Amino acid sequence: INRIKSLFLLSKDTNACIQKVITKLSESENEETKAALLKGLASLLEQIFNIDWAKMHKPEIQNDFSFYRRSLEKHSSHPELPVDDAVAGHVSMFVAQANPFIKSIITSLETRKREGGTPEIIPFLSNFTNMCAASAYAAQKGNQCEDNVNMLYAAMTVCIVLYDSLEPNGAFTKHGRIDIKKCINGLNSWDSEKKTQYLNSLKYSTRTFQKAPNSVQKLFKD
């Protein structure tokens, strides 16, 4: 239960960090600073993907917390409850998500979008996605460190999921901001077991994949 609570609190800190990085990127004119921030953001998104992927394959987490919540009524007066009843509802909603960290970021960015935060979040996500895709492919063909390629494709994947949730038309439209075919072709050309995780995430964690053109959907077929 303490671990679940820690992840819940970490997701809030992660959201705040991402918001700060996006704002800082819009304010900074120093190219070295921007490059460092973008690399840091990509690394953070990679970790977020890994946490959500691990959680997705541990359904017992939700069962454990559900049992704990049912037990709260009997032990509500205990002075050292790891999660009290006031917070338990929020944590329960968090662990109920297939991708709790990504879902939490989506909620946070939806608020930013409604409030007209700077920079506009949709163009930022699309630009960052396309940049990660191009950089990953170049690194892959240049035989650069595999860890760097993996980080860039992970960040690209998370950004596509975020963009697909926030952009009304989704990420798979023919003339969208994201060059989705380039992103998928890059993954397909990558000789790594991780690519299956990223492709499956794009298929099953996005809102509009089922509406994607046939020319896009066939890129996911073996």
Side-chain angles (χ1 to χ4, degrees), residues 43-62:
S43 178
L44 179 58
L45 294 178
E46 178 189 16
Q47 296 308 312
I48 286 168
F49 180 91
N50 290 337
I51 292 172
D52 275 355
W53 185 263
K55 187 270 174 187
M56 191 184 304
H57 292 80
K58 291 185 177 293
E60 64 270 19
I61 291 175
Q62 187 175 353

Side-chain angles (χ1 to χ4, degrees), residues 181-197:
K181 286 187 177 181
K182 184 175 182 179
C183 295
I184 299 167
N185 283 330
L187 281 173
N188 282 331
S189 69
W190 184 33
D191 185 18
S192 170
E193 294 181 358
K194 292 284 288 187
K195 76 175 180 182
T196 301
Q197 294 182 17

Side-chain angles (χ1 to χ4, degrees), residues 5 8-9 65 69 82-93:
K5 179 183 178 182
F8 172 71
L9 295 175
F65 195 79
R69 197 178 180 194
V83 180
D84 61 29
D85 190 54
V87 179
H90 297 291
V91 178
S92 182
M93 290 176 62

Side-chain angles (χ1 to χ4, degrees), residues 5-72:
K5 179 183 178 182
S6 296
L7 287 172
F8 172 71
L9 295 175
L10 179 61
S11 73
K12 291 186 173 298
D13 291 339
T14 300
N15 289 342
C17 179
I18 289 174
Q19 295 278 5
K20 289 179 181 178
V21 169
I22 292 174
T23 299
K24 187 67 176 177
L25 282 165
S26 71
E27 296 173 347
S28 178
E29 297 182 358
N30 185 294
E31 293 303 318
E32 290 186 2
T33 298
K34 285 186 174 182
L37 287 169
L38 289 169
K39 184 175 181 180
L41 180 58
S43 178
L44 179 58
L45 294 178
E46 178 189 16
Q47 296 308 312
I48 286 168
F49 180 91
N50 290 337
I51 292 172
D52 275 355
W53 185 263
K55 187 270 174 187
M56 191 184 304
H57 292 80
K58 291 185 177 293
E60 64 270 19
I61 291 175
Q62 187 175 353
N63 295 333
D64 288 346
F65 195 79
S66 294
F67 176 80
Y68 170 82
R69 197 178 180 194
R70 289 194 300 271
S71 303
L72 270 178

